[in-house]
Amino acid sequence: MTSPKRQRLGPAQRRAQLIALGVQALGTHALDEISIESIADQAGVTRALVFHYFKSKQEFQTAILQAASEHMMEITTPDLSLPPLEILRSTLNAYIDYVGRNPHVYIAMIRGETSNVPAMKESVDATRSRLAERILEMLGRFGLDSGPLLEFAVRGWLAFVEEVVIRWLTDSEEVTREQLLELLTGALPGVVMAPLLGDQGMLEQMFPGLPDRAGEQEQAAG
Amino acid sequence: MTSPKRQRLGPAQRRAQLIALGVQALGTHALDEISIESIADQAGVTRALVFHYFKSKQEFQTAILQAASEHMMEITTPDLSLPPLEILRSTLNAYIDYVGRNPHVYIAMIRGETSNVPAMKESVDATRSRLAERILEMLGRFGLDSGPLLEFAVRGWLAFVEEVVIRWLTDSEEVTREQLLELLTGALPGVVMAPLLGDQGMLEQMFPGLPDRAGEQEQAAG
């Protein structure tokens, strides 16, 4: 009788299985807390066999992180049949779902648990670059020419999204998921048009009634 | 004959002198590269005396970082006699000057050199919180009520600023200082009004001629 756990797999399949179990463990564990023993046990193999596929725990962790990033890229693939803001909104919606299911790994990835391991830091940075390229490519479709300034805006927006999402995951019950989604969605056009918004006239168009002096100062002057 | 280096100072003055020399060294050295020997030498005291004032190199580094943050807060104090966008622009202008003079410490503070030392990480986070509070207070003067969503937007904008400024310091000769300043300045109103910008109609007002489908998809549909 063969236990399903002990099924014979080819090397590529076994490697993929171990990574998949690692990614699954991220739903409940921080990357550093994932136990090789537990993964080996679930796969019905020995700890030594895991280390046959991955030279070190770090190499295994990096592979897990890469697979998780790949999965995130897939589920946030833009749906080009939608209007521009809906492409953005639906992508961010999937992104929030994803990080909500994997808050541990998300926070660890973004806030340093991985940043001292060069291979992991590189993996996170590579994912950011892929996201930035994807967004720039999308903006290009809508007539915005890519250039260093637009790239800065997009990279800055990704940092904005990371910061805001982490805050939402860790310390707010006061901001609804819907409000979060609208903030993230509108912030991209917000920063893309930022070079135009440093103008009082433009701003007044957006915020009618904006005073042109700080309240206190007005009193002092009056 | 007393060397000016060997002047007798009271404990508080000596401590302040050592910190000031540390802050000065940040102009040319990363925080981790600041040599206690060199600081002691400049102050005309022994290495042991430095460790009389600071229990460890980390404690000294944390004190340097706090003093540098304090200095940054001072030089970026908002000038309330200006119109709102000019307050923001002049503050960011001083901020860019500051980080341009201290790129090492800025990058180190923001990108992890310090993030594994809890006291230093706390110092950086405390500075971010003070900046956020200051901005929220300013926005309040212009009629924007503080609340969790606005706080998220401001904290996200600070992350945006850090990301963009680091990119500008490290890998761009293609974005001018003026362009950088305008991007950072306009991004604050951009993210503050973000919850309104996820609307196609609003966006069309800002970007006349924006297509409502991605180019390729239109062709496929046509």
Side-chain angles (χ1 to χ4, degrees), chain B residues 1-220:
Chain B
M1 207 172 68
T2 311
S3 149
K5 277 188 174 180
R6 295 216 180 152
Q7 54 188 306
R8 292 189 71 85
L9 297 176
Q13 287 167 300
R14 179 66 75 194
R15 192 172 188 281
Q17 179 205 30
L18 295 171
I19 293 173
L21 287 168
V23 171
Q24 201 181 313
L26 284 178
T28 46
H29 293 76
L31 192 61
D32 257 1
E33 289 165 8
I34 294 176
S35 138
I36 301 274
E37 283 75 11
S38 156
I39 299 288
D41 194 47
Q42 288 174 63
V45 301
T46 61
R47 192 173 180 282
L49 193 78
V50 177
F51 284 111
H52 168 73
Y53 288 101
F54 307 97
K55 276 180 218 132
S56 63
K57 186 164 183 181
Q58 275 179 15
E59 192 177 307
F60 186 44
Q61 289 175 329
T62 304
I64 294 172
L65 213 55
Q66 275 165 348
S69 298
E70 205 53 54
H71 182 53
M72 195 269 285
M73 290 301 292
E74 269 164 37
I75 63 168
T76 59
T77 302
D79 174 356
L80 298 179
S81 70
L82 297 170
L85 280 167
E86 295 313 312
I87 297 177
L88 183 57
R89 186 177 277 112
S90 68
T91 298
L92 282 165
N93 198 36
Y95 182 81
I96 296 170
D97 274 349
Y98 178 79
V99 301
R101 278 196 306 270
N102 304 277
H104 298 290
V105 68
Y106 185 72
I107 295 170
M109 271 169 63
I110 307 299
R111 288 287 173 270
E113 181 185 311
T114 58
S115 62
N116 301 309
V117 181
M120 284 195 246
K121 192 180 177 313
E122 277 163 28
S123 165
V124 173
D125 284 344
T127 302
R128 286 188 181 119
S129 295
R130 287 172 67 193
L131 285 170
E133 277 162 33
R134 183 193 265 175
I135 295 160
L136 287 165
E137 198 267 331
M138 291 307 297
L139 292 173
R141 285 169 183 265
F142 296 102
L144 288 160
D145 285 333
S146 190
L149 193 62
L150 190 63
E151 204 181 318
F152 275 25
V154 166
R155 297 299 299 229
W157 178 75
L158 286 174
F160 176 92
V161 169
E162 289 178 357
E163 174 69 24
V164 170
V165 168
I166 284 187
R167 295 203 155 253
W168 186 73
L169 289 173
T170 54
D171 72 28
S172 180
E173 283 146 19
E174 297 173 280
V175 169
T176 66
R177 191 183 184 291
E178 191 53 34
Q179 286 177 309
L180 174 72
L181 182 59
E182 291 311 300
L183 176 62
L184 302 181
T185 302
L188 183 60
V191 302
V192 166
M193 67 175 95
L196 308 172
L197 293 178
D199 177 78
Q200 182 71 17
M202 187 65 150
L203 212 60
E204 273 162 10
Q205 226 183 301
M206 307 294 304
F207 293 115
L210 186 80
D212 50 330
R213 288 290 184 282
E216 242 182 51
Q217 206 60 25
E218 258 187 333
Q219 279 186 317

Side-chain angles (χ1 to χ4, degrees), chain A residues 39-209:
Chain A
I39 299 287
D41 193 48
Q42 287 173 65
V45 301
T46 60
R47 192 172 179 284
L49 193 77
V50 177
F51 285 111
H52 168 73
Y53 288 101
F54 307 96
K55 278 179 217 132
S56 63
K57 185 164 184 182
Q58 275 181 15
E59 192 178 306
F60 185 45
Q61 289 176 328
T62 304
I64 293 172
L65 213 54
Q66 275 164 348
S69 298
E70 205 54 54
H71 181 53
M72 193 269 286
M73 290 301 292
E74 268 164 40
I75 62 167
T76 59
T77 302
D79 175 355
L80 298 180
S81 69
L82 298 170
L85 280 167
E86 292 314 312
I87 297 177
L88 182 57
R89 185 176 277 113
S90 68
T91 298
L92 282 165
N93 197 36
Y95 181 82
I96 297 169
D97 274 350
Y98 179 80
V99 302
R101 278 196 307 269
N102 304 276
H104 299 290
V105 69
Y106 184 73
I107 295 169
M109 270 169 64
I110 306 300
R111 288 285 173 271
E113 182 185 311
T114 58
S115 63
N116 301 308
V117 182
M120 283 195 246
K121 190 178 179 313
E122 278 163 29
S123 165
V124 173
D125 285 344
T127 303
R128 286 187 180 119
S129 295
R130 287 173 66 194
L131 286 170
E133 277 161 33
R134 183 193 265 176
I135 294 160
L136 287 165
E137 199 267 330
M138 292 306 298
L139 292 173
R141 286 168 184 265
F142 295 103
L144 287 160
D145 286 333
S146 189
L149 193 63
L150 190 63
E151 205 181 316
F152 274 25
V154 166
R155 298 298 300 231
W157 177 76
L158 286 173
F160 176 93
V161 169
E162 289 178 358
E163 174 69 25
V164 170
V165 168
I166 283 186
R167 293 203 157 252
W168 186 73
L169 288 173
T170 54
D171 71 25
S172 178
E173 281 145 21
E174 296 172 279
V175 170
T176 66
R177 191 183 184 290
E178 191 53 32
Q179 286 177 309
L180 174 72
L181 182 59
E182 292 311 301
L183 176 62
L184 302 180
T185 301
L188 184 60
V191 302
V192 165
M193 67 175 95
L196 307 172
L197 293 177
D199 177 79
Q200 181 72 16
M202 186 66 150
L203 212 60
E204 272 163 10
Q205 224 184 302
M206 306 295 302
F207 293 115

Side-chain angles (χ1 to χ4, degrees), chain A residues 10-32:
Chain A
Q13 288 167 300
R14 179 65 74 194
R15 192 172 188 282
Q17 180 206 29
L18 295 172
I19 293 172
L21 288 168
V23 171
Q24 201 181 313
L26 284 179
T28 46
H29 292 76
L31 192 60
D32 256 1

